[in-house]
Amino acid sequence: MFISKHKKSIWILCWILFWVYIGALVYFLFFAEMLGRAGEPRGYHYNLIPFKEIRRFLVYHEQLGIMAVFLNLAGNIMIFMPFGFLLPIMSRKLRGFFRVTFLGFELSLAVEAVQLVSKTGSCDVDDMILNTIGAMFGFLIYSAIQHKRDVEADRRRMQGKDI
């Protein structure tokens, strides 16, 4: 199958962005926090009750501060949006909503498991929920952009036939 230079360039750029994203994700989720906790004893911090931490952040938003609430809730969503956006561009096999959602959940589960075992950060089922929602939103943004491009291509084709 022939792929135009433009599509191939976009595909290569997406692969590069994807691996930069994965590298940044690993750094910020594991190493950046370790650097800030030098000398502190680490223990297991985990939450296995769905919506417990989300509820806590919403109920105690005044005490925690709006920035802490935003960073936790919106940050966990936004950090996985690139994952859901880039996967369908990189592979035709990954253009399904449920497939991208499932892969986002799997990546989040892997991150939380590593955080639990390495005692870095905290293993939180709410993070997995928010991360999965982020992958879903990323895919929905991809889908909206792709739909707009398809409609525009159809419009151009129709104008060409009318001439």
Side-chain angles (χ1 to χ4, degrees):
M1 182 175 172
F2 176 74
I3 299 175
S4 72
K5 279 187 173 184
H6 177 71
K7 284 185 179 182
K8 186 166 180 134
S9 297
I10 289 173
W11 183 78
I12 290 169
L13 177 63
C14 285
W15 271 98
I16 292 168
L17 288 174
F18 181 77
W19 288 110
V20 168
Y21 163 74
I22 294 295
L25 188 69
V26 167
Y27 173 77
F28 286 113
L29 291 175
F30 300 112
F31 299 110
E33 189 163 319
M34 272 196 256
L35 297 174
R37 291 184 169 190
E40 283 186 31
R42 291 203 230 290
Y44 284 110
H45 299 282
Y46 59 90
N47 168 40
L48 302 177
I49 302 168
F51 304 105
K52 178 182 177 183
E53 286 298 306
I54 293 171
R55 189 177 305 114
R56 183 177 72 86
F57 273 90
L58 294 174
V59 169
Y60 297 105
H61 67 277
E62 289 181 14
Q63 292 89 343
L64 296 169
I66 194 69
M67 188 55 83
V69 174
F70 177 80
L71 287 175
N72 185 280
L73 301 181
N76 273 304
I77 291 171
M78 291 187 300
I79 199 166
F80 269 65
M81 287 175 69
F83 184 82
F85 182 81
L86 291 171
L87 280 184
I89 297 171
M90 293 168 31
S91 172
R92 288 185 184 274
K93 293 178 183 178
L94 301 175
R95 291 195 179 159
F97 176 78
F98 293 109
R99 182 165 288 181
V100 170
T101 299
F102 182 70
L103 290 171
F105 171 77
E106 282 185 324
L107 177 61
S108 182
L109 176 62
V111 165
E112 297 301 321
V114 170
Q115 285 182 330
L116 181 66
V117 171
S118 68
K119 301 178 185 178
T120 303
S122 64
C123 177
D124 188 347
V125 69
D126 289 349
D127 288 352
M128 292 189 317
I129 292 168
L130 295 169
N131 294 160
T132 304
I133 290 169
M136 294 164 92
F137 282 173
F139 180 82
L140 292 174
I141 291 168
Y142 160 80
S143 293
I145 291 169
Q146 189 61 40
H147 176 73
K148 185 175 190 246
R149 290 182 67 219
D150 291 345
V151 167
E152 184 62 26
D154 288 345
R155 185 186 63 75
R156 282 193 307 268
R157 270 195 296 275
M158 293 302 287
Q159 285 177 345
K161 288 182 180 179
D162 291 341
I163 295 177

